[in-house]
Coordinates of all heavy atoms in Angstrom, one line a residue:
L1133 N 234.9 -38.6 88.4 CA 236.1 -38.9 87.6 C 235.7 -39.1 86.1 O 236.5 -38.7 85.2 CB 236.8 -40.1 88.2 CG 237.5 -39.9 89.5 CD1 238.0 -41.2 90.1 CD2 238.7 -38.9 89.3
T1134 N 234.6 -39.8 85.9 CA 234.3 -40.1 84.5 C 233.9 -38.8 83.8 O 234.2 -38.6 82.6 CB 233.1 -41.1 84.4 OG1 232.0 -40.7 85.3 CG2 233.5 -42.5 84.8
L1135 N 233.2 -37.9 84.5 CA 232.9 -36.6 83.9 C 234.1 -35.8 83.7 O 234.2 -35.0 82.7 CB 231.9 -35.8 84.8 CG 230.5 -36.4 84.8 CD1 229.7 -35.8 86.0 CD2 229.8 -36.2 83.5
A1136 N 235.1 -35.9 84.6 CA 236.3 -35.1 84.4 C 237.1 -35.6 83.2 O 237.8 -34.8 82.5 CB 237.2 -35.3 85.6
K1137 N 236.9 -36.9 82.9 CA 237.5 -37.5 81.6 C 236.7 -37.2 80.4 O 237.1 -37.6 79.3 CB 237.7 -39.0 81.8 CG 238.8 -39.5 82.8 CD 238.7 -41.0 82.9 CE 238.8 -41.7 81.6 NZ 238.6 -43.2 81.8
K1138 N 235.5 -36.6 80.6 CA 234.5 -36.4 79.5 C 234.1 -37.7 78.9 O 233.7 -37.8 77.7 CB 235.1 -35.5 78.4 CG 235.6 -34.1 79.0 CD 235.9 -33.2 77.9 CE 236.4 -31.8 78.4 NZ 235.5 -31.2 79.4
D1139 N 234.0 -38.8 79.7 CA 233.5 -40.1 79.3 C 232.0 -40.1 79.7 O 231.6 -40.6 80.8 CB 234.2 -41.2 80.0 CG 233.8 -42.6 79.5 OD1 232.8 -42.7 78.8 OD2 234.5 -43.6 79.9
Y1140 N 231.2 -39.4 78.9 CA 229.8 -39.2 79.3 C 228.9 -40.4 79.3 O 228.0 -40.6 80.0 CB 229.2 -38.1 78.5 CG 229.9 -36.7 78.6 CD1 230.8 -36.3 77.7 CD2 229.7 -36.0 79.8 CE1 231.5 -35.1 77.9 CE2 230.3 -34.8 80.0 CZ 231.2 -34.3 79.0 OH 231.9 -33.1 79.2
V1141 N 229.3 -41.3 78.4 CA 228.5 -42.6 78.3 C 228.7 -43.4 79.6 O 227.7 -43.9 80.2 CB 229.0 -43.4 77.1 CG1 228.3 -44.8 77.1 CG2 228.6 -42.7 75.8
R1142 N 230.0 -43.5 80.0 CA 230.3 -44.2 81.3 C 229.6 -43.5 82.5 O 229.1 -44.2 83.4 CB 231.8 -44.4 81.5 CG 232.2 -45.2 82.7 CD 231.7 -46.6 82.7 NE 232.4 -47.4 81.7 CZ 233.6 -48.0 81.9 NH1 234.2 -48.0 83.0 NH2 234.1 -48.7 80.9
A1143 N 229.7 -42.2 82.5 CA 229.1 -41.4 83.6 C 227.6 -41.7 83.7 O 227.1 -41.8 84.8 CB 229.3 -39.9 83.3
A1144 N 226.9 -41.8 82.6 CA 225.5 -42.1 82.7 C 225.2 -43.5 83.2 O 224.3 -43.7 84.0 CB 224.9 -42.0 81.3
I1145 N 226.1 -44.5 82.9 CA 226.0 -45.8 83.4 C 226.2 -45.9 84.9 O 225.5 -46.5 85.6 CB 227.0 -46.8 82.7 CG1 226.6 -46.9 81.2 CG2 227.0 -48.1 83.3 CD1 227.6 -47.6 80.3
V1146 N 227.2 -45.2 85.3 CA 227.6 -45.1 86.8 C 226.4 -44.4 87.5 O 226.1 -44.8 88.6 CB 228.9 -44.4 87.0 CG1 229.2 -44.2 88.5 CG2 230.1 -45.2 86.4
A1147 N 225.9 -43.4 87.0 CA 224.8 -42.6 87.6 C 223.6 -43.5 87.9 O 222.9 -43.3 88.9 CB 224.4 -41.4 86.8
G1148 N 223.4 -44.5 87.0 CA 222.2 -45.4 87.2 C 222.4 -46.3 88.4 O 221.4 -46.9 88.8
K1149 N 223.6 -46.4 89.0 CA 223.8 -47.2 90.2 C 223.3 -46.6 91.4 O 223.1 -47.3 92.5 CB 225.3 -47.6 90.3 CG 225.9 -48.3 89.2 CD 227.3 -48.6 89.4 CE 228.0 -49.3 88.2 NZ 229.4 -49.5 88.5
V1150 N 223.0 -45.3 91.4 CA 222.6 -44.5 92.6 C 221.1 -44.6 92.7 O 220.3 -44.3 91.8 CB 223.0 -43.1 92.5 CG1 222.5 -42.3 93.7 CG2 224.5 -43.0 92.5
S1151 N 220.6 -45.1 93.9 CA 219.2 -45.2 94.1 C 218.7 -43.8 94.6 O 219.1 -43.3 95.6 CB 218.9 -46.2 95.2 OG 217.5 -46.1 95.6
R1152 N 217.8 -43.2 93.8 CA 217.2 -41.9 94.1 C 216.3 -42.0 95.4 O 216.2 -41.0 96.1 CB 216.4 -41.3 93.0 CG 217.3 -41.2 91.7 CD 216.8 -40.2 90.7 NE 217.6 -40.1 89.6 CZ 217.5 -39.2 88.7 NH1 216.6 -38.3 88.7 NH2 218.4 -39.2 87.6
K1153 N 215.8 -43.2 95.6 CA 215.0 -43.4 96.8 C 215.9 -43.2 98.1 O 215.5 -42.6 99.1 CB 214.4 -44.8 96.8 CG 213.6 -45.1 98.0 CD 213.1 -46.6 97.9 CE 212.3 -47.0 99.2 NZ 211.9 -48.4 99.1
H1154 N 217.1 -43.7 98.0 CA 218.1 -43.6 99.1 C 218.5 -42.1 99.3 O 218.7 -41.6 100.5 CB 219.3 -44.4 98.9 CG 219.1 -45.9 99.0 ND1 219.9 -46.8 98.4 CD2 218.1 -46.6 99.5 CE1 219.4 -48.0 98.6 NE2 218.3 -47.9 99.3
L1155 N 218.5 -41.3 98.2 CA 218.9 -39.9 98.3 C 217.9 -39.1 99.1 O 218.2 -38.0 99.5 CB 219.2 -39.3 96.9 CG 220.4 -39.9 96.2 CD1 220.4 -39.3 94.8 CD2 221.7 -39.6 96.9
Q1156 N 216.6 -39.6 99.1 CA 215.6 -38.8 99.8 C 215.6 -39.1 101.3 O 214.8 -38.4 102.0 CB 214.2 -39.3 99.2 CG 214.1 -39.1 97.7 CD 214.2 -37.6 97.3 OE1 213.9 -36.7 98.0 NE2 214.8 -37.4 96.1
E1157 N 216.4 -40.0 101.8 CA 216.4 -40.3 103.2 C 217.1 -39.3 104.0 O 217.8 -38.4 103.5 CB 217.1 -41.7 103.4 CG 216.4 -42.9 102.7 CD 217.1 -44.2 102.9 OE1 218.2 -44.2 103.5 OE2 216.7 -45.2 102.3
D1158 N 216.8 -39.3 105.3 CA 217.5 -38.4 106.2 C 219.0 -38.5 106.2 O 219.5 -39.6 106.0 CB 217.0 -38.6 107.7 CG 215.5 -38.3 107.8 OD1 215.0 -37.5 107.0 OD2 214.9 -38.8 108.7
N1159 N 219.7 -37.4 106.4 CA 221.1 -37.4 106.5 C 221.8 -37.7 105.1 O 223.0 -38.0 105.1 CB 221.7 -38.3 107.5 CG 221.1 -38.0 108.9 OD1 221.0 -36.8 109.3 ND2 220.8 -39.1 109.6
M1160 N 221.0 -37.6 104.0 CA 221.6 -37.9 102.7 C 221.6 -36.6 101.8 O 221.8 -36.6 100.7 CB 220.8 -39.0 102.0 CG 220.9 -40.3 102.7 SD 222.5 -41.0 102.8 CE 222.6 -41.7 101.1
E1161 N 221.2 -35.5 102.5 CA 221.1 -34.2 101.7 C 222.3 -33.8 100.9 O 222.2 -33.4 99.8 CB 220.6 -33.1 102.6 CG 219.2 -33.3 103.2 CD 218.9 -32.3 104.3 OE1 219.6 -31.3 104.4 OE2 217.9 -32.4 104.9
E1162 N 223.4 -33.9 101.6 CA 224.7 -33.5 101.0 C 225.0 -34.4 99.7 O 225.4 -33.8 98.7 CB 225.9 -33.7 102.0 CG 227.2 -33.2 101.5 CD 228.3 -33.5 102.5 OE1 228.0 -33.6 103.7 OE2 229.5 -33.5 102.0
Y1163 N 224.7 -35.7 99.8 CA 224.9 -36.5 98.7 C 223.9 -36.3 97.6 O 224.2 -36.4 96.4 CB 224.8 -38.0 99.1 CG 225.9 -38.4 100.1 CD1 225.5 -38.7 101.4 CD2 227.2 -38.4 99.8 CE1 226.5 -39.0 102.4 CE2 228.2 -38.8 100.7 CZ 227.8 -39.1 102.0 OH 228.8 -39.4 103.0
K1164 N 222.7 -35.9 97.9 CA 221.7 -35.6 97.0 C 222.1 -34.4 96.1 O 222.0 -34.4 94.9 CB 220.3 -35.3 97.6 CG 219.2 -35.0 96.7 CD 217.9 -34.6 97.4 CE 216.9 -34.1 96.5 NZ 215.6 -33.7 97.2
V1165 N 222.6 -33.3 96.8 CA 223.0 -32.1 96.1 C 224.2 -32.4 95.2 O 224.2 -32.0 94.0 CB 223.4 -31.0 97.1 CG1 224.0 -29.8 96.4 CG2 222.1 -30.6 97.9
K1166 N 225.1 -33.2 95.7 CA 226.3 -33.6 94.9 C 225.9 -34.4 93.7 O 226.4 -34.2 92.6 CB 227.3 -34.3 95.7 CG 228.6 -34.6 95.0 CD 229.6 -35.2 96.0 CE 231.0 -35.4 95.2 NZ 232.0 -36.1 96.1
Y1167 N 225.0 -35.3 93.9 CA 224.5 -36.2 92.8 C 223.9 -35.4 91.7 O 224.2 -35.5 90.5 CB 223.6 -37.3 93.3 CG 222.9 -38.1 92.2 CD1 223.6 -39.1 91.6 CD2 221.6 -37.9 91.9 CE1 223.0 -39.9 90.6 CE2 221.0 -38.6 90.9 CZ 221.7 -39.6 90.2 OH 221.1 -40.4 89.2
F1168 N 222.9 -34.5 92.0 CA 222.2 -33.8 91.0 C 223.1 -32.7 90.4 O 222.9 -32.3 89.2 CB 220.9 -33.2 91.6 CG 219.8 -34.3 91.7 CD1 219.5 -34.8 92.9 CD2 219.2 -34.8 90.5 CE1 218.5 -35.8 93.0 CE2 218.3 -35.8 90.6 CZ 217.9 -36.3 91.8
T1169 N 224.1 -32.2 91.1 CA 225.1 -31.3 90.5 C 225.9 -32.0 89.4 O 226.1 -31.4 88.3 CB 226.0 -30.7 91.6 OG1 225.2 -30.1 92.6 CG2 227.0 -29.7 91.0
L1170 N 226.3 -33.2 89.7 CA 227.0 -34.0 88.7 C 226.1 -34.4 87.5 O 226.5 -34.4 86.3 CB 227.6 -35.3 89.3 CG 228.7 -35.1 90.3 CD1 229.0 -36.4 91.1 CD2 230.0 -34.6 89.6
M1171 N 224.8 -34.7 87.8 CA 223.8 -35.0 86.7 C 223.6 -33.8 85.8 O 223.5 -33.9 84.6 CB 222.5 -35.5 87.3 CG 222.6 -36.8 88.0 SD 223.1 -38.2 86.9 CE 221.7 -38.3 85.8
A1172 N 223.6 -32.6 86.5 CA 223.5 -31.4 85.7 C 224.6 -31.2 84.7 O 224.4 -30.8 83.6 CB 223.4 -30.2 86.6
E1173 N 225.8 -31.6 85.1 CA 227.0 -31.5 84.2 C 226.8 -32.5 83.1 O 227.1 -32.1 81.9 CB 228.3 -31.9 85.0 CG 229.5 -31.7 84.2 CD 230.8 -32.0 85.0 OE1 230.7 -32.0 86.3 OE2 231.8 -32.2 84.4
L1174 N 226.3 -33.7 83.3 CA 226.1 -34.6 82.3 C 225.0 -34.1 81.3 O 225.1 -34.2 80.1 CB 225.6 -36.0 82.9 CG 225.2 -37.1 81.9 CD1 226.3 -37.5 81.0 CD2 224.7 -38.3 82.7
H1175 N 223.9 -33.6 81.8 CA 222.8 -33.2 81.0 C 223.1 -31.9 80.3 O 222.5 -31.6 79.2 CB 221.5 -33.0 81.9 CG 221.0 -34.3 82.4 ND1 220.4 -34.5 83.7 CD2 221.0 -35.6 81.9 CE1 220.1 -35.7 83.8 NE2 220.5 -36.4 82.8
R1176 N 224.0 -31.1 80.8 CA 224.4 -29.9 80.1 C 225.2 -30.3 78.9 O 225.0 -29.7 77.8 CB 225.3 -29.0 81.0 CG 225.6 -27.7 80.4 CD 226.4 -26.8 81.4 NE 225.6 -26.4 82.6 CZ 225.7 -26.9 83.8 NH1 226.7 -27.8 84.1 NH2 224.9 -26.5 84.8
H1177 N 226.0 -31.3 79.0 CA 226.7 -31.8 77.8 C 225.7 -32.3 76.7 O 225.9 -32.1 75.5 CB 227.7 -33.0 78.2 CG 228.2 -33.7 77.0 ND1 229.2 -33.2 76.2 CD2 227.9 -35.0 76.6 CE1 229.4 -34.1 75.3 NE2 228.7 -35.2 75.5
E1178 N 224.6 -33.0 77.2 CA 223.6 -33.5 76.3 C 222.6 -32.4 75.8 O 221.8 -32.7 74.9 CB 222.8 -34.6 77.0 CG 223.7 -35.8 77.3 CD 223.0 -36.8 78.2 OE1 221.8 -36.5 78.7 OE2 223.5 -37.9 78.4
K1179 N 222.8 -31.2 76.4 CA 221.9 -30.1 76.0 C 220.4 -30.4 76.2 O 219.6 -30.0 75.4 CB 222.2 -29.6 74.5 CG 223.6 -29.2 74.3 CD 223.8 -28.8 72.8 CE 225.2 -28.3 72.6 NZ 225.5 -28.0 71.2
D1180 N 220.1 -31.1 77.3 CA 218.8 -31.5 77.6 C 218.2 -30.6 78.6 O 218.4 -30.7 79.8 CB 218.8 -33.0 78.1 CG 217.4 -33.6 78.2 OD1 216.4 -32.8 78.5 OD2 217.2 -34.8 77.8
A1181 N 217.5 -29.6 78.2 CA 217.0 -28.5 79.1 C 216.0 -29.0 80.1 O 216.1 -28.6 81.3 CB 216.3 -27.4 78.2
F1182 N 215.1 -30.0 79.7 CA 214.1 -30.4 80.7 C 214.8 -31.2 81.8 O 214.4 -31.1 83.0 CB 213.0 -31.2 80.0 CG 211.9 -31.6 81.0 CD1 211.2 -30.6 81.6 CD2 211.6 -32.9 81.2 CE1 210.1 -30.9 82.5 CE2 210.5 -33.2 82.1 CZ 209.8 -32.2 82.7
L1183 N 215.7 -32.1 81.5 CA 216.4 -32.9 82.5 C 217.2 -31.9 83.4 O 217.3 -32.1 84.6 CB 217.3 -33.9 81.9 CG 216.5 -35.1 81.3 CD1 217.5 -36.2 80.7 CD2 215.6 -35.8 82.3
L1184 N 217.8 -30.9 82.8 CA 218.5 -29.9 83.6 C 217.6 -29.2 84.6 O 217.9 -28.9 85.8 CB 219.2 -28.9 82.7 CG 220.5 -29.3 82.1 CD1 220.9 -28.4 80.9 CD2 221.6 -29.3 83.1
A1185 N 216.4 -28.8 84.1 CA 215.4 -28.2 85.0 C 215.0 -29.1 86.2 O 214.9 -28.7 87.3 CB 214.1 -27.9 84.2
K1186 N 214.9 -30.4 85.9 CA 214.6 -31.4 87.0 C 215.8 -31.5 88.0 O 215.6 -31.7 89.2 CB 214.2 -32.7 86.4 CG 212.9 -32.7 85.6 CD 212.6 -34.0 84.9 CE 212.1 -35.1 85.8 NZ 211.7 -36.3 85.0
D1187 N 217.0 -31.5 87.4 CA 218.2 -31.6 88.3 C 218.2 -30.4 89.2 O 218.4 -30.6 90.5 CB 219.5 -31.6 87.4 CG 219.6 -32.8 86.6 OD1 219.1 -33.9 86.9 OD2 220.3 -32.7 85.5
Y1188 N 218.1 -29.2 88.7 CA 218.2 -28.0 89.6 C 217.0 -27.9 90.5 O 217.1 -27.4 91.6 CB 218.3 -26.8 88.7 CG 219.8 -26.6 88.2 CD1 220.1 -26.9 87.0 CD2 220.7 -26.1 89.1 CE1 221.4 -26.8 86.5 CE2 222.1 -25.9 88.7 CZ 222.4 -26.3 87.4 OH 223.7 -26.2 87.0
H1189 N 215.8 -28.4 90.1 CA 214.7 -28.4 91.0 C 214.9 -29.4 92.2 O 214.5 -29.1 93.3 CB 213.4 -28.7 90.3 CG 212.2 -28.3 91.1 ND1 211.4 -29.3 91.8 CD2 211.6 -27.1 91.4 CE1 210.4 -28.7 92.4 NE2 210.5 -27.4 92.2
S1190 N 215.6 -30.5 91.9 CA 215.9 -31.5 93.0 C 216.9 -30.8 93.9 O 216.8 -31.0 95.2 CB 216.5 -32.7 92.3 OG 215.5 -33.4 91.6
I1191 N 217.9 -30.1 93.4 CA 218.8 -29.4 94.3 C 218.1 -28.3 95.1 O 218.3 -28.3 96.3 CB 219.9 -28.7 93.4 CG1 220.8 -29.8 92.7 CG2 220.8 -27.8 94.3 CD1 221.8 -29.2 91.7
Y1192 N 217.2 -27.6 94.5 CA 216.5 -26.5 95.1 C 215.6 -27.1 96.3 O 215.5 -26.4 97.3 CB 215.6 -25.8 94.1 CG 214.4 -25.0 94.7 CD1 214.7 -23.8 95.4 CD2 213.1 -25.5 94.6 CE1 213.6 -23.1 95.9 CE2 212.1 -24.8 95.2 CZ 212.3 -23.6 95.8 OH 211.3 -22.9 96.4
S1193 N 215.0 -28.2 96.1 CA 214.0 -28.7 97.1 C 214.7 -29.5 98.2 O 214.1 -30.0 99.1 CB 213.1 -29.7 96.4 OG 213.8 -30.8 95.8
T1194 N 216.1 -29.5 98.3 CA 216.8 -30.1 99.4 C 216.9 -29.1 100.5 O 217.2 -27.9 100.3 CB 218.2 -30.4 98.9 OG1 218.2 -31.2 97.7 CG2 218.9 -31.2 100.0
P1195 N 216.5 -29.5 101.7 CA 216.5 -28.6 102.9 C 217.7 -27.8 103.1 O 217.6 -26.6 103.4 CB 216.2 -29.5 104.1 CG 215.4 -30.6 103.5 CD 215.9 -30.8 102.1
I1196 N 218.9 -28.4 102.9 CA 220.1 -27.6 103.2 C 220.3 -26.5 102.2 O 220.9 -25.4 102.5 CB 221.4 -28.5 103.2 CG1 221.6 -29.2 101.9 CG2 221.4 -29.4 104.4 CD1 222.9 -29.9 101.7
I1197 N 219.7 -26.6 101.0 CA 219.7 -25.5 100.0 C 218.6 -24.5 100.3 O 218.8 -23.3 100.2 CB 219.5 -26.1 98.6 CG1 220.7 -27.1 98.3 CG2 219.5 -25.0 97.6 CD1 222.1 -26.4 98.2
L1198 N 217.4 -25.0 100.7 CA 216.3 -24.1 101.0 C 216.6 -23.2 102.2 O 216.1 -22.1 102.3 CB 215.1 -24.9 101.3 CG 214.3 -25.5 100.1 CD1 213.2 -26.5 100.6 CD2 213.7 -24.4 99.3
N1199 N 217.5 -23.6 103.1 CA 217.9 -22.8 104.2 C 219.0 -21.9 104.0 O 219.4 -21.1 104.8 CB 218.2 -23.8 105.4 CG 217.0 -24.6 105.9 OD1 215.9 -24.1 105.8 ND2 217.2 -25.8 106.4

Side-chain angles (χ1 to χ4, degrees):
L1133 288 170
T1134 51
L1135 288 169
K1137 287 174 56 186
K1138 301 190 184 303
D1139 187 351
Y1140 297 104
V1141 174
R1142 181 63 68 88
I1145 294 170
V1146 173
K1149 297 177 181 180
V1150 177
S1151 169
R1152 303 205 178 188
K1153 181 181 175 183
H1154 291 160
L1155 293 176
Q1156 303 300 328
E1157 296 175 5
D1158 293 338
N1159 303 318
M1160 298 295 282
E1161 295 175 7
E1162 183 183 338
Y1163 298 112
K1164 179 184 174 183
V1165 171
K1166 187 175 180 181
Y1167 173 76
F1168 283 107
T1169 301
L1170 291 169
M1171 290 302 290
E1173 186 177 342
L1174 173 62
H1175 294 145
R1176 189 175 292 110
H1177 167 75
E1178 296 172 348
K1179 299 178 181 177
D1180 193 321
F1182 187 59
L1183 288 181
L1184 279 163
K1186 292 173 78 172
D1187 292 335
Y1188 280 99
H1189 194 258
S1190 295
I1191 293 170
Y1192 161 74
S1193 60
T1194 308
I1196 59 171
I1197 298 297
L1198 282 170
N1199 294 329

